[in-house]
Structure formats: C-alpha cells, structure tokens
Amino acid sequence: MTRAWSPESWRELPAAQQPDWGDPGALDLALKELRNQPPLVFAGEARALKAALGAASRGEAFVLQAGECAESFDNLSADSIRDQLKIILQMAVVLTYASGLPIVKVGRIAGQFAKPRSSANELVGGLELPAFRGHMVNDIDFDPVSRRANPKRLLRAYHQSASTLNLLRAFTKGGFADLNKVHMWNQEFVAASPQGRRYEDIANAIDRALRFMAACGINLTSDVSLHQVDFYTCHEALILGFEEALTRQDSLTGDWYDCSAHLLWAGERTRQAGGAHIEFLSGLKNPVACKLGPKATPAEVLELCERLDPDGEAGRLTFIARMGAKAVREALPPLVRAIRDSGRPVLWVCDPMHGNTFTTAAGVKTRRFEDIVAEIKGFFAVHELEGTFPGGVHLELTADEVTECLGGGDDILDNQLVASYRSLCDPRLNGNQSLELAFELGELLQAWAAPVRSE
Ligand code: PEP
Ligand code: CO
C-alpha cells in the first residue's frame, strides 16, 4: 500500500506521546502562527549534513551528537549556549587529534524541548497530574497550572530555538570557533583537572603545528576551515504539529524539509513503522535518525529502513543504538548483521546514556560514567567483529559543573548527586566527565582508525 505523503499525512495514523492540548482553538492558532514564521535552518545545510553523515557511514568521519536531554525556557543565556558549544568543540578537538578523522558536530540544541514519558501522569502524595513533557508543552512544577499543556509554548520554543541558533551561527562562523582559540574553550573549572591539563597539551601541540605551517609559508588566514566550524542542530521530532508547521518546500528542488533542525529523530517510544512519527519522517529530505533499544528486532529494523530510506541514500538514515552496557554485546550484533547483509548504507551511532539510567535508593535518576564507557566499548567491539563502522556517539551533557552522573575522575558518589542536580529530565555528564569521555573515546577511535587508514 502506498499512501501519498504530505506534511500532514501523519494525522491519519496513531500518534504516540502527544499531549492533550485542551482547547483545540488555541492549538490551531499557535500552529497557524508557527506556519508563518521563517524557517530555522535551510535545505542546503540539511543536505550538507547528509553528505557528512554519509562519509561517517563509510568510516571516513565520526559523529559527535551531543547536548541537553531537555532544553529549558529558564536557562537561555549567551553564556550557557557558548559553554555548551565550547565543550563540544573541545571534545571534537580531542577526537580529531586522536583519530585524524573529521568530526561531524551535531548539537542536541536549539529545539530539544519535548520529552516522551513512560507514563502520561505522575502521582505524588495522592495527587495525580499530567507528566512533564518538556518546556515546549508544559512546566515541571508539580501543580495543576504548570502541568497543563499550553500551545503558546510551541511559539516560545520556536523563538528560543531561533535566538539560540542565531548565537550558534555567530560563534561558529564569527571567530570563536577559530582553531587559534583552542585554549579559550577550556573552562576554568575543567582546566585545573587532569583531563583539562591533558587538553592543554593538545592545544599547545595544535599551536605549534599552526606556527610550523605558517613558518613553511602556508597561508593559514585564507583557509576558512581553520577559522570556522560547521555545527548542526538536531532534536527528537516528537510533537508532530510543531514539526509539521515548520516543514517547508525547498524552492530549488521542490522537496520537503523540516526546517526546525538539520536532523530529526524518532525516539524509542515512537518508532513504530506504522505510526505517525515514522510516517512524518519518511517524507522529509532531511537526514533522519531512529533510536533502537535492546528489544528491537532485525525485522523491525529492516522495515524501518524500507520506510525511512527506501532508496538507500548515504547519510539519510542513522540508527542510534541505546542498548545499555549489559545488553549491547548481545542485542546489537543481530541488527548490525541484518543491515550489513542487506547492503544498506546506514550510519550506526551509539547512545550510551538512555540504556544506562537507573534510580538510586534515595530516588535520584542517574547514570554511571563506567557504564557509559562500557557501552561505547561494547559498541566498538561489535562493529569490529561484524566488519562494520562505529559511526558516532550520542550524548547528554553540559559544560556546567553539575553532579548528575556517578563516577568519572571526580568520582561523584551517590550522596553527592543532590549537590548540583539541575537537569530538567535525564542526568547529564558534566564538563569534566565529558572531556574525560572524549579521551576514552579518542583512544578507541585511534585504535580503530589506524588499521582502516593503513589499508
Ligand atoms: C532522549 O534521547 O532524550 C530519549 C528520550 O531517548 P530514547 O527515545 O532513546 O529513550
Ligand atoms: Co534523555
């Protein structure tokens, strides 16, 4: 059966995880206003990301997809955007330096405002209220007014995404991401740590390499790749009315692009091949991704390929495996083999966060740094065994000095989690843990890229 795709064809199918917006008039009004807003990203940029992801699917690049679990309306500042960019740039430097591979940088930023939930409601002390679904939908405080879904939030999410993206464009194209500024990306509290000092060694080596090239007569000022960075945005395409309203027809090609971000993904809870989310993503020309948990089967994964990438276009489809450290070595191989044997050019990315979340005895949601590292190691080992490419990682992190994940060099303990737990949703790696993870990952990448290069 072929259904004619249109930006609204998802409406004919079951759509999981959609809030009850209450007043339909208010929702229609908000969506109408959204449809009149300018696009946030452009089709040409989405095509450039698709090409970069295609290179990663062939082992010629590595993807660093990272940022917030849930962005906040209460935390919009130039400093927070700059710091988030800094830590991603720092990690990318570490990875490039270790592996010699280009790093494709994709932020969970400028649009990551909606969350899927395991239950629609939350029960506290006998009171039952709708669950918090991200600032695009409602607010986190546990009272009836905060938890009511408010369509005006869709517009606020759009406007915050626009100002965030505006600053990201200025930072990445206007000098801040210049390779001569590598030292500036080291945050003060990170700089004093062992990984901060290790980063300084790399930054010094880069300085020396730049001076060496300049001394050899190479004109370093004219090469934009030393002074600017391509930085892409992504988020989970969860609230389909919002995504539909930002889907526009490209004037050059006539194709449809969701202009809310460069890359959109379907989450573990919304990836049903016959559901509304996959229908929506199927007709876009953006690169798209799909999360896969440990229960995903080879048949499901092949069906998702058929729905999302029937033409087998490199860079179009990314599978983000989030299996958990314990399950990855058993659950991932059958899926990787099915794709490999089908000859499809899918990109494999490892999300070592969402399969490793647990709640402590004191009721705090957390993840262990060692589990995160273990899942990444398992992911690399599976690809090595199957002769396929470990194409990237997908992380939840902040540059801030938070205490949300256990372990790492600072060895954050159970009883320290409450000291600075600021996430609206899932626990994030802090600046130190993120940089430490980049060094671990750099070693894995170095070991992996060296034989590939010498072939
Ligand atoms: C997320 O990426 O924040 C998320 C909810 O992931 P998943 O769909 O994999 O559970
Ligand atoms: Co999350």
Side-chain angles (χ1 to χ4, degrees):
M1 183 199 72
T2 48
R3 188 186 307 105
W5 185 90
S6 71
E8 65 274 355
S9 57
W10 64 270
R11 292 179 181 273
E12 291 157 32
L13 295 168
Q17 299 282 342
Q18 303 305 290
D20 174 2
W21 290 106
D23 176 4
L27 176 63
D28 287 349
L29 212 65
L31 293 179
K32 187 164 171 244
E33 199 169 329
L34 267 181
R35 276 195 290 275
N36 292 329
Q37 302 300 319
L40 293 171
V41 305
F42 305 105
E45 296 170 337
R47 285 192 284 271
L49 174 59
K50 200 188 274 180
L53 298 174
S57 75
R58 294 187 296 273
E60 296 159 11
F62 190 79
V63 178
L64 175 60
Q65 191 176 12
E68 291 289 341
C69 178
E71 283 174 272
S72 166
F73 284 176
D74 306 323
N75 185 30
L76 172 63
S77 72
D79 285 359
S80 69
I81 298 166
R82 186 204 54 209
D83 291 348
Q84 193 72 316
L85 181 64
K86 265 186 187 176
I87 188 71
I88 295 175
L89 292 177
Q90 266 194 301
M91 293 174 80
V93 159
V94 170
L95 298 179
T96 306
Y97 197 76
S99 66
L101 286 170
I103 305 300
V104 184
K105 294 165 271 299
V106 192
R108 281 179 66 122
I109 194 167
Q112 177 53 28
F113 288 107
K115 298 313 299 172
R117 304 316 303 246
S118 37
S119 341
N121 292 322
E122 195 179 338
L123 186 67
V124 177
L127 179 63
E128 192 167 9
L129 291 175
F132 172 58
R133 289 186 179 274
H135 274 166
M136 185 188 280
V137 176
N138 57 5
D139 209 349
I140 198 162
D141 294 338
F142 195 74
D143 62 72
V145 175
S146 303
R147 288 297 173 94
R148 190 176 305 142
N150 180 352
K152 288 200 181 110
R153 288 179 168 268
L154 296 167
L155 287 159
R156 184 143 174 217
Y158 168 84
H159 289 296
Q160 182 160 327
S161 301
S163 25
T164 303
L165 199 53
N166 181 47
L167 202 59
L168 285 170
R169 289 186 192 282
F171 279 143
T172 52
K173 302 293 175 191
F176 183 77
D178 192 310
L179 211 47
N180 290 297
K181 304 250 162 62
V182 275
H183 293 279
M184 270 180 51
W185 308 336
N186 214 358
Q187 300 246 84
E188 269 162 43
F189 80 94
V190 176
S193 69
Q195 46 280 1
R197 289 197 296 273
R198 204 168 157 194
Y199 175 82
E200 272 304 307
D201 290 343
I202 294 181
N204 287 333
I206 291 172
D207 277 350
R208 279 198 301 277
L210 290 174
R211 282 200 303 273
F212 173 78
M213 286 191 284
C216 292
I218 298 168
N219 184 349
L220 299 181
T221 41
S222 63
D223 193 334
V224 286
S225 57
L226 291 175
H227 310 295
Q228 297 187 0
V229 155
D230 289 329
F231 188 87
Y232 299 99
T233 59
C234 67
H235 61 256
E236 177 171 354
L238 187 71
I239 305 299
L240 291 174
F242 177 89
E243 303 301 337
E244 177 196 323
L246 286 163
T247 298
R248 310 291 163 82
Q249 202 161 18
D250 174 28
S251 54
L252 279 180
T253 59
D255 291 330
W256 291 95
Y257 285 84
D258 182 347
C259 297
S260 71
H262 300 107
L263 176 140
L264 288 313
W265 80 81
E268 170 65 0
R269 294 167 191 79
T270 52
R271 63 169 170 79
Q272 305 79 13
H277 291 81
I278 297 299
E279 166 66 14
F280 175 72
L281 294 181
S282 73
L284 303 174
K285 278 288 174 178
N286 304 60
V288 297
C290 184
K291 296 280 198 96
L292 297 176
K295 295 207 177 81
T297 64
E300 275 173 8
V301 166
L302 288 171
E303 195 181 356
L304 284 167
C305 285
E306 203 43 58
R307 291 287 284 126
L308 294 174
D309 182 29
D311 302 331
E313 188 190 359
R316 155 72 178 168
L317 179 58
T318 298
F319 280 130
I320 306 170
R322 31 88 86 218
M323 302 289 168
K326 287 199 188 80
V328 63
R329 288 171 197 254
E330 281 79 47
L332 185 58
L335 310 182
V336 167
R337 265 180 239 136
I339 298 293
R340 182 198 63 196
D341 297 347
S342 73
R344 290 179 177 274
V346 160
L347 169 68
W348 285 101
V349 163
C350 172
D351 167 357
M353 316 298 293
H354 290 89
N356 293 312
T357 319
F358 67 98
T359 304
T360 64
V364 186
K365 209 198 294 185
T366 190
R367 294 159 172 157
R368 284 193 190 88
F369 184 80
E370 65 195 57
D371 291 342
I372 292 167
V373 174
E375 180 157 356
I376 297 177
K377 285 187 174 163
F379 176 83
F380 270 76
V382 168
H383 284 287
E384 188 171 358
L385 272 171
E386 304 302 338
T388 45
F389 298 125
V393 287
H394 180 117
L395 307 169
E396 288 182 343
L397 54 77
T398 170
D400 297 346
E401 212 173 354
V402 298
T403 53
E404 298 172 6
C405 290
L406 296 167
D410 293 343
D411 200 16
I412 296 172
L413 303 173
D414 258 26
N415 61 1
Q416 293 168 325
L417 287 176
V418 286
S420 182
Y421 199 109
R422 292 185 232 152
S423 178
L424 277 183
C425 194
D426 291 338
R428 304 160 297 173
L429 295 167
N430 66 24
N432 264 335
Q433 290 168 326
S434 302
L435 197 53
E436 191 174 349
L437 186 67
F439 281 111
E440 294 266 4
L441 193 52
E443 279 168 26
L444 284 168
L445 262 184
Q446 190 168 32
W448 171 75
V452 172
R453 291 176 164 263
S454 61
E455 268 165 22

